[in-house]
Amino acid sequence: MNCYIVDAFSDKVFSGNPAAVCILDKWLPDMLMENIAGENNLSETAFAVKEGETYHLRWFTLAGEIDLCGHATLACAYVVLNYIEKDWDSVIFTTLSGNLTVTRKGEVYEMDFPSYHLKQIEATKEIANAIGIMPKAVYIGRDLLCVLEDEQEVRNVTPDLEKVKALDGLLLHVTAKGESTDCVSRTFAPKCNFPEDPVCGSGHCHIVPYWTKRLKKEKIIAYQASKRGGTLYCGIAEDRVKLGGKAALYAISELFVEK
């Protein structure tokens, strides 16, 4: 069984967000997929099985299966469209979050994702103590979204990850208006056993709805200001988010596991 390592949301290796991708003939036992994800020791490992003209896609973090992941979806589309279905321009994935379509547009892979509804909540002392600064505003969807004053605050934030675990939401995103892009953000995922997600696609299903409304723009360029960094070309269409990004292949390996 081949395992592809792809750096998503980047046009070169050693940046963006690395994901492992395994294209299967049939499903493996869940525990084996969890063990493979743990052995890969990346934030996400994607597993996909072809079903007719679509692919059934599942994502596993170091803590188990998750319902939505952007960078591993982009990585899986990159593998399918470049190594498996070379004559396809797009691929439809059936997932726990419904059907997700990824379309190749030159070097950019554009994903059609659901948009999370954001509810504004109080900026509490517990939130401020966890992230190390009092946010301007706080919203909750699947994840917690904290809006900071400016880009430098986002870049400098050092959260207490144990305290972050006690906050609502699966992931924690901090964001602000960007200096050279429309917005910047960082994502922290201690509940998934991963301190900081280098570039979070599903997080931008919260970030993009906020900033497109705030900036009154249908299309924005977002930058995830982690150590690795990554750029997303984003848009909004009713209850859907468009997330575009480039990808670079780092490795193809063969896994010696009993199926």
Side-chain angles (χ1 to χ4, degrees), residues 58-72:
R58 298 172 68 184
W59 309 277
F60 285 80
T61 72
L62 299 181
E65 190 169 10
I66 195 171
D67 65 345
L68 183 65
C69 176
H71 82 280

Side-chain angles (χ1 to χ4, degrees), residues 24-152:
L24 309 173
D25 296 324
K26 60 181 181 179
W27 288 112
L28 303 174
D30 283 9
M31 182 57 68
L32 179 54
M33 290 190 286
E34 290 181 14
N35 287 338
I36 291 171
E39 190 76 7
N40 287 334
N41 199 32
L42 297 173
S43 62
E44 302 281 351
T45 295
F47 298 89
V49 173
K50 189 175 184 181
E51 297 178 348
E53 295 302 309
T54 68
Y55 278 81
H56 186 177
L57 173 62
R58 298 172 68 184
W59 309 277
F60 285 80
T61 72
L62 299 181
E65 190 169 10
I66 195 171
D67 65 345
L68 183 65
C69 176
H71 82 280
T73 301
L74 192 158
C76 192
Y78 175 89
V79 171
V80 169
L81 296 178
N82 285 282
Y83 296 94
I84 314 295
E85 313 290 354
K86 298 180 182 179
D87 58 339
W88 289 11
D89 293 321
S90 64
V91 56
I92 298 174
F93 294 115
T94 59
T95 77
L96 289 175
S97 292
N99 285 353
L100 306 177
T101 301
V102 185
T103 303
R104 178 167 45 194
K105 297 184 176 181
E107 294 183 335
V108 173
Y109 297 81
E110 185 180 83
M111 302 182 290
D112 180 57
F113 268 33
S115 172
Y116 285 107
H117 173 72
L118 298 178
K119 176 184 177 182
Q120 188 165 8
I121 61 175
E122 181 185 359
T124 63
K125 290 182 179 179
E126 288 77 14
I127 293 174
N129 289 336
I131 67 175
I133 190 171
M134 178 62 76
K136 292 173 55 179
V138 181
Y139 297 83
I140 188 73
R142 182 197 70 177
D143 306 335
L144 195 66
L145 177 66
C146 295
V147 183
L148 304 187
E149 186 67 36
D150 55 40
E151 179 170 326
Q152 290 310 307

Side-chain angles (χ1 to χ4, degrees), residues 110-213:
E110 185 180 83
M111 302 182 290
D112 180 57
F113 268 33
S115 172
Y116 285 107
H117 173 72
L118 298 178
K119 176 184 177 182
Q120 188 165 8
I121 61 175
E122 181 185 359
T124 63
K125 290 182 179 179
E126 288 77 14
I127 293 174
N129 289 336
I131 67 175
I133 190 171
M134 178 62 76
K136 292 173 55 179
V138 181
Y139 297 83
I140 188 73
R142 182 197 70 177
D143 306 335
L144 195 66
L145 177 66
C146 295
V147 183
L148 304 187
E149 186 67 36
D150 55 40
E151 179 170 326
Q152 290 310 307
E153 285 191 352
V154 171
R155 290 181 177 273
N156 294 334
V157 72
T158 306
D160 184 322
L161 297 179
E162 286 302 313
K163 292 181 179 179
V164 169
K165 289 180 181 179
L167 301 180
D168 290 336
L170 179 63
L171 309 178
L172 166 67
H173 313 289
V174 294
T175 187
K177 192 175 186 301
E179 296 172 0
S180 58
T181 57
D182 290 298
C183 65
V184 295
S185 63
R186 289 172 66 196
T187 295
F188 303 93
K191 293 178 185 178
C192 297
N193 293 338
F194 211 80
E196 182 168 3
D197 197 352
V199 191
C200 186
S202 64
H204 280 79
C205 294
H206 302 72
I207 295 165
V208 173
Y210 174 82
W211 283 111
T212 51
K213 183 177 181 180

Side-chain angles (χ1 to χ4, degrees), residues 184-245:
V184 295
S185 63
R186 289 172 66 196
T187 295
F188 303 93
K191 293 178 185 178
C192 297
N193 293 338
F194 211 80
E196 182 168 3
D197 197 352
V199 191
C200 186
S202 64
H204 280 79
C205 294
H206 302 72
I207 295 165
V208 173
Y210 174 82
W211 283 111
T212 51
K213 183 177 181 180
R214 185 78 174 180
L215 299 174
K216 298 180 180 179
K217 299 173 69 173
E218 290 186 358
K219 295 183 178 181
I220 63 172
I221 298 177
Y223 184 72
Q224 190 112 44
S226 65
K227 182 178 179 180
R228 292 174 65 96
T231 302
L232 302 92
Y233 307 91
C234 310
I236 196 83
E238 297 181 355
D239 61 344
R240 307 293 292 180
V241 170
K242 304 290 186 179
L243 301 176

